[in-house]
Amino acid sequence: MHIAEGMLPPVQCAAWFAASAPFVIHGSRQVLRTVREHPERKLLLAAAGAFTLVLSALKLPSVTGSSSHPTGTGLGAVLFRPPVMAFLGTVVLLFQATLLAHGGLTTLGANAFSMAIAGPWAGYAAYRLLGRVTRATWPPVFAAMAVANLATYAVTSVQLAIAYPDAASGLPGALAKFLSLFALTQIPLAIAEGLLGVLLFGFLSRAARPELVGLGVVPETTDA
Amino acid sequence: MSARVTAVDDAAWAGPWRSVAVGDKVALSLALVLTALLTPAWPGSVLVAVVAVALMLGPARIRPGLLAAVALPPLAFLVAGAAPLAVEVQLGEWPRVTPDGVARAAGVVAHGVAGSLSVLLLATTTPMVDMVGWLRRLRVPGPLLEIAELMYRLLFVLADTAVALHAAQAGRLGGQAPLRRRFRHAASAVGTVALHSWHRATRLQAGLALRGFEEDLPTLSPAGRRTPRLLIAGLVVVAGVVAACWAVA
């Protein structure tokens, strides 16, 4: 869930913009360098951004009969690396804010920090760490998707707790309140997104091996 | 999502404010967003919300049905998202709703509604293509804007593909398949959308390369007419809201 327009105090809006800006600028430079070295990847990056946006339209089956949707930032971080996702994720958030009023302009910095920066970096770190421990493909992919999802919502909880400390129990109480409320939906959703990521990665490994090799995600010759 | 985005885009293309300079519309929208954020919920945010709705339904001629369809889902999210603010928690006690908490949640909802409507004023009057053209004139690096513009264009194609895939799967499965199989189908649907977008991007790249597209992709973008009256009206509204807040305080 993105923090909606008007939900953060002005000073905190500015602080989150300042915190996100270096990552987004670094990501933009990375994208510019990629496009300069590989002009053919411009459209691939655009397709990846559009794909991230469309992911939110695809519903995930849920055990309760209800449905949820994935965020896709973990997969994006594995395929395109976190700096690129910082730029693409911010553009996605900007489109969602202006076209769907989902998120907001004044909260763009905070949302970019949670969804386009913290989520992808945490997911990618989990992917690389588990990749060193095991040779199997599925544990790192599962961890990347699930951790990116959970990290996004953990950071969002921290942002909301800083903005709205509980009247009785202060920041810790507010953090516990927001984390526990998010946990009801996000822990099952993160597990579901992790499972979906494993199946999706398997599908792409079979159906789009040349593209994955081109991105450097899988080696040219492998039996994984 | 696709239908809502298309409806907003159609309204922006067809509306009378399409010809207004993008910079003027951005200035007006941002002025309202910041006024909603910086003034007290009552009367500041309430007045901003009223002004934004009046501008959309009045001079911008946005259909009330479209405005309701676009605005209601995010506003419902806002109310649901602000509800926990009304609850107070303490170790060893049950969470309880307090009058201060309710007042704080109501204030947040008012700020959020006013801000969201102010952003929608820009979205329903300015096509994304015009916005990109405006950013290009502000010297934002061309390749970044092209990626953003191409993302926007591919969005409609991919959203249609995703909806068609979802409908086809729902028709085949009838919602009755075991959970494991539904997950497998969801993964193949997401993968198919990814492949579709990659292949389409590759074909588009090849087509553009054949036409000599190497670095920049120049497109025509109307400059729009400057409207000092709109800016003056915006300033008057902001000053009026601030004055009303001051009078109430």
Side-chain angles (χ1 to χ4, degrees), chain B residues 17-206:
Chain B
W17 278 21
R18 167 81 210 285
S19 57
V20 174
V22 176
D24 292 359
K25 289 182 280 188
V26 170
L28 177 65
S29 178
L30 280 182
L32 290 175
V33 167
L34 292 176
T35 308
L37 188 68
L38 296 169
T39 56
W42 171 256
S45 296
V46 176
L47 287 174
V48 168
V50 170
V51 168
V53 170
L55 285 172
M56 279 188 274
L57 297 181
R61 287 191 222 147
I62 304 300
R63 284 184 295 108
L66 172 68
L67 179 58
V70 174
L72 286 180
L75 299 189
F77 264 95
L78 255 174
V79 173
L85 299 178
V87 179
E88 197 177 283
V89 288
Q90 254 182 326
L91 204 62
E93 288 183 23
W94 283 100
R96 59 196 168 93
V97 177
T98 62
D100 283 350
V102 172
R104 187 160 71 160
V108 167
V109 169
H111 283 297
V113 168
S116 298
L117 289 169
S118 304
V119 174
L120 281 176
L121 173 64
L122 180 65
T124 52
T125 55
T126 313
M128 193 54 71
V129 176
D130 290 3
M131 193 83 79
V132 172
W134 177 70
L135 289 170
R136 199 182 298 276
R137 287 194 287 278
L138 293 180
R139 296 178 185 274
V140 175
L144 299 180
L145 289 176
E146 277 161 27
I147 288 171
E149 199 169 7
L150 288 164
M151 261 173 76
Y152 181 70
R153 291 179 192 278
L154 279 170
L155 172 66
F156 294 96
V157 177
L158 298 186
D160 286 347
T161 310
V163 169
L165 272 167
H166 183 70
Q169 282 196 347
R172 281 201 309 276
L173 298 170
Q176 298 299 316
L179 189 69
R180 193 172 175 176
R181 215 169 116 206
R182 282 160 60 202
F183 259 101
R184 200 170 288 281
H185 281 278
S188 63
V190 174
T192 304
V193 173
L195 286 183
H196 193 82
S197 65
W198 286 356
H199 291 159
R200 201 175 175 96
T202 308
R203 290 202 302 275
L204 194 55
Q205 176 72 45

Side-chain angles (χ1 to χ4, degrees), chain A residues 1 4-10 13 27-29 31-32 35 39-51 53-63 65-66 69-70 75 79-80 87-88 91-92 94-106 160 163-170 173-174 176-178 181 191-193 195-200 203-204 206-208 211-212 215, chain B residues 1-2 4-5 8-9 29-30 33-34 37-38 70-71 74 77-78 81-82 84-91 96 104 107-108 111-116 119-120 122-124 128 131-132 135 141-152 154-155 158-159 162-163 165-166 179-180 182-184 186-195 197-199 201-202 204-206 208 213-217:
Chain A
M1 186 179 121
E5 183 65 64
M7 282 197 83
L8 290 182
C13 292
S28 304
R29 286 185 172 172
V31 168
L32 285 171
V35 168
E40 74 282 359
R41 289 205 184 154
K42 192 187 287 183
L43 282 158
L44 186 60
L45 287 168
F51 175 65
L53 231 167
V54 169
L55 262 187
S56 59
L58 281 178
K59 290 172 181 170
L60 260 176
S62 164
V63 286
S66 62
H69 62 79
L75 185 70
L79 295 181
F80 299 102
F87 169 73
L88 289 181
V91 176
V92 165
L94 193 60
F95 281 158
Q96 287 182 333
T98 52
L99 292 169
L100 302 167
H102 189 196
L105 292 181
T106 60
L160 287 172
Y164 300 104
D166 192 79
S169 50
K177 178 171 67 177
F178 289 120
L181 279 171
I191 293 168
E193 193 168 340
L195 292 173
L196 185 79
V198 172
L199 294 170
L200 176 61
F203 176 86
L204 292 177
R206 291 191 302 276
E211 283 86 348
L212 295 188
L215 289 168
Chain B
M1 182 188 77
S2 171
R4 274 169 64 201
V5 173
V8 170
D9 202 57
S29 178
L30 280 182
V33 167
L34 292 176
L37 188 68
L38 296 169
V70 174
F77 264 95
L78 255 174
L85 299 178
V87 179
E88 197 177 283
V89 288
Q90 254 182 326
L91 204 62
R96 59 196 168 93
R104 187 160 71 160
V108 167
H111 283 297
V113 168
S116 298
V119 174
L120 281 176
L122 180 65
T124 52
M128 193 54 71
M131 193 83 79
V132 172
L135 289 170
L144 299 180
L145 289 176
E146 277 161 27
I147 288 171
E149 199 169 7
L150 288 164
M151 261 173 76
Y152 181 70
L154 279 170
L155 172 66
L158 298 186
V163 169
L165 272 167
H166 183 70
L179 189 69
R180 193 172 175 176
R182 282 160 60 202
F183 259 101
R184 200 170 288 281
S188 63
V190 174
T192 304
V193 173
L195 286 183
S197 65
W198 286 356
H199 291 159
T202 308
L204 194 55
Q205 176 72 45
L208 288 168
F213 166 59
E214 294 292 337
E215 289 180 353
D216 282 343
L217 178 63

